[in-house]
Amino acid sequence: MDLEKYGWNDFFAEGFAPYAAEGYGVGRVLLQHNKIYVLYTEGGETEAEVTGRLRHEAAGPHELPAVGDWVATRARGTDGTLMIHAVLPRSSKFSRKMPWSWADEQVVAANVDTVFLVAGLDGDYNPRRIERYLIMAWESGARPVVVLNKSDLDPEGAAERVAEVEGVAPGVAVVLLSAKHDEQLAQLAPFVGPGLTVALMGSSGVGKSTIVNRLAGADMQRTAEVRLGDSRGRHTTTHRQLILLPGGGLVIDTPGMRELQLLVSERGMRETFEEIETFAAQCRFTDCRHENEPGCVVREALATGALDPERYRNYGKMQREMEETAARQDQRLAQERKERTKRLTRAFNKTQKRKG
Ligand code: GDP
Ligand code: ZN
């Protein structure tokens, strides 16, 4: 009975209250493999499935359970299989758009407290990329912490890089370390305490796996394997995607988390480029394009150096990307709507013919 160890707290208890009153049980999703889920429950680890009703009534895949979710469960009467009846309200979520449908959102990790935005101090280091990851982090609801890894590769330049990152990430903790040195990983301890869930984001090769392996310990990785049986009696072996660390704390490490596309949002954009928005809000015209309008505070800030031109360029680029993504989504939605109408018309004509 260690739900707290797995992150249970007052927030989730509140979401669960109406289900508790109806006699439901509760569990946290450790792993999802096709239609099979592995949950941590008061009775230990159990396989579970989603009820047909939840699947049917979900407005989209984002309303189905994801790794890290707390869910309301009940044993099925016929064979005792644990069934997931509902997903409890999330404290945070990371999601991506489904590649085949821009309209659908898929959650790749839920209820993450802290997200480590990992960057490597090697040739690939790029503060603009950190800004992009920050946008996603703010959007998720999790608290971002920038981890500058591979400090051993650039011992002289490291301090300057920390200052640079602090500049683009105001108010965000920046941790400088080398994941190859265990004693330096202790700096992450305040963010990986008991009951806290962390996830990692960052480009390939920055050292995310190294950090997870070090936090989890080699033995841990092996015991993280589980054997799953599906309804047809087939078995597969796979890894837990939410891991309880030996020192307390939990790590979510899913393939989906690694493939996260940049889902830029207005909110995340505003928080990341807060000072630009503040300048823009003071322009004389509310629809100022900051080109050559009189009373433009953004141009003035650029001229006096109060605003970093490179940050401003990046801001413009992100805004264009956002607009393009939105236009693409609109196009896709219009196309889907057209196809749906065509299908419905065809089905309708068929039944009319049959009647006639
Ligand atoms: P991931 O793709 O983000 O999961 O990155 P990996 O953890 O697989 O690391 C990529 C490479 O960087 C591996 O060869 C690691 O050994 C190496 N690496 C990780 N951390 C450090 C570090 O602190 N210093 C150095 N020099 N190399 C590191
Ligand atoms: Zn302006």
Side-chain angles (χ1 to χ4, degrees):
M1 229 222 71
D2 257 334
L3 291 182
E4 277 90 9
K5 245 193 185 161
Y6 278 83
W8 183 252
N9 60 31
D10 290 347
F11 174 83
F12 301 117
E14 199 185 317
F16 182 58
Y19 297 98
E22 302 266 316
Y24 287 91
V26 74
R28 192 168 193 196
V29 178
L30 303 181
L31 164 66
Q32 182 193 357
H33 183 79
N34 301 326
K35 292 196 167 173
I36 312 172
Y37 290 84
V38 174
L39 307 182
Y40 182 82
T41 67
E42 283 178 309
E45 278 184 29
T46 324
E47 285 186 29
E49 289 167 34
V50 167
T51 61
R53 181 168 174 188
L54 175 55
R55 207 169 276 288
H56 186 72
E57 289 181 353
H62 62 282
E63 288 189 4
L64 293 173
V67 173
D69 263 327
W70 286 97
V71 293
T73 62
R74 189 171 266 173
R76 184 160 59 195
T78 47
D79 59 1
T81 302
L82 197 65
M83 301 304 290
I84 299 173
H85 287 256
V87 177
L88 303 187
R90 294 165 173 146
S91 62
S92 71
K93 65 170 181 186
F94 285 91
S95 45
R96 65 172 172 185
K97 302 282 172 184
M98 308 284 261
W100 55 89
S101 164
W102 284 90
D104 277 335
E105 174 196 7
Q106 189 183 35
V107 177
V108 298
N111 302 319
V112 174
D113 296 296
T114 304
V115 57
F116 291 144
L117 308 181
V118 188
L121 290 184
D122 49 18
D124 284 340
Y125 169 81
N126 179 351
R128 301 293 160 244
R129 203 174 299 140
I130 297 174
E131 276 177 344
R132 288 162 169 258
Y133 283 117
L134 265 176
I135 291 174
M136 292 190 79
W138 288 127
E139 172 60 10
S140 73
R143 168 194 183 189
V145 171
V146 177
V147 177
L148 290 180
N149 186 30
K150 307 195 188 184
S151 60
D152 55 300
L153 293 182
D154 186 12
E156 266 99 74
E160 197 181 311
R161 263 134 194 220
V162 170
E164 190 172 32
V165 172
E166 281 169 347
V168 298
V172 174
V174 181
V175 177
L176 173 70
L177 55 79
S178 167
K180 293 205 156 173
H181 296 88
D182 278 329
E183 76 284 356
Q184 296 194 14
L185 278 169
Q187 294 180 77
L188 298 180
F191 312 106
V192 218
L196 290 179
T197 305
V198 302
L200 292 89
M201 263 179 25
S203 312
S204 177
V206 294
K208 297 183 298 296
S209 315
T210 310
I211 294 171
V212 171
N213 289 341
R214 294 271 168 144
L215 288 175
D219 294 343
M220 200 63 199
Q221 286 299 86
R222 247 176 282 123
T223 55
E225 284 200 339
V226 267
R227 230 166 107 75
L228 300 177
D230 72 8
S231 50
R232 292 192 202 119
R234 283 182 307 213
H235 285 86
T236 35
T237 302
T238 181
H239 280 93
R240 278 178 193 71
Q241 295 158 342
L242 189 152
I243 308 168
L244 180 64
L245 301 174
L250 304 131
V251 170
I252 291 187
D253 186 21
T254 68
M257 200 62 205
R258 288 165 177 265
E259 293 157 17
L260 269 191
Q261 300 287 317
L262 183 65
L263 285 183
V264 197
S265 75
E266 272 189 61
R267 198 184 97 219
M269 181 107 175
R270 221 170 291 137
E271 293 191 41
T272 305
F273 296 103
E274 199 183 348
E275 88 277 21
I276 303 182
E277 301 271 344
T278 308
F279 288 128
Q282 300 168 49
C283 292
R284 186 178 308 162
F285 302 111
T286 48
D287 61 348
C288 185
R289 282 162 303 142
H290 323 306
E291 278 161 14
N292 33 39
E293 293 89 341
C296 175
V297 177
V298 170
R299 293 232 69 88
E300 190 189 298
L302 283 169
T304 61
L307 178 57
D308 175 2
E310 198 171 337
R311 245 170 98 68
Y312 182 62
R313 250 198 310 279
N314 202 37
Y315 172 80
K317 204 169 133 217
M318 301 243 27
Q319 219 153 25
R320 279 192 299 281
E321 274 177 24
M322 256 166 65
E323 280 160 18
E324 279 163 23
T325 306
R328 233 185 352 245
Q329 281 183 17
D330 286 350
Q331 234 174 24
R332 200 62 78 106
L333 281 175
Q335 182 66 24
E336 276 171 12
R337 221 173 287 128
K338 224 165 78 187
E339 278 164 14
R340 203 175 312 131
T341 312
K342 231 197 277 174
R343 255 199 324 271
L344 287 174
T345 313
R346 221 180 291 135
F348 178 75
N349 287 346
K350 231 188 215 162
T351 53
Q352 289 302 89
K353 236 184 251 159
R354 229 178 278 140
K355 274 191 203 158

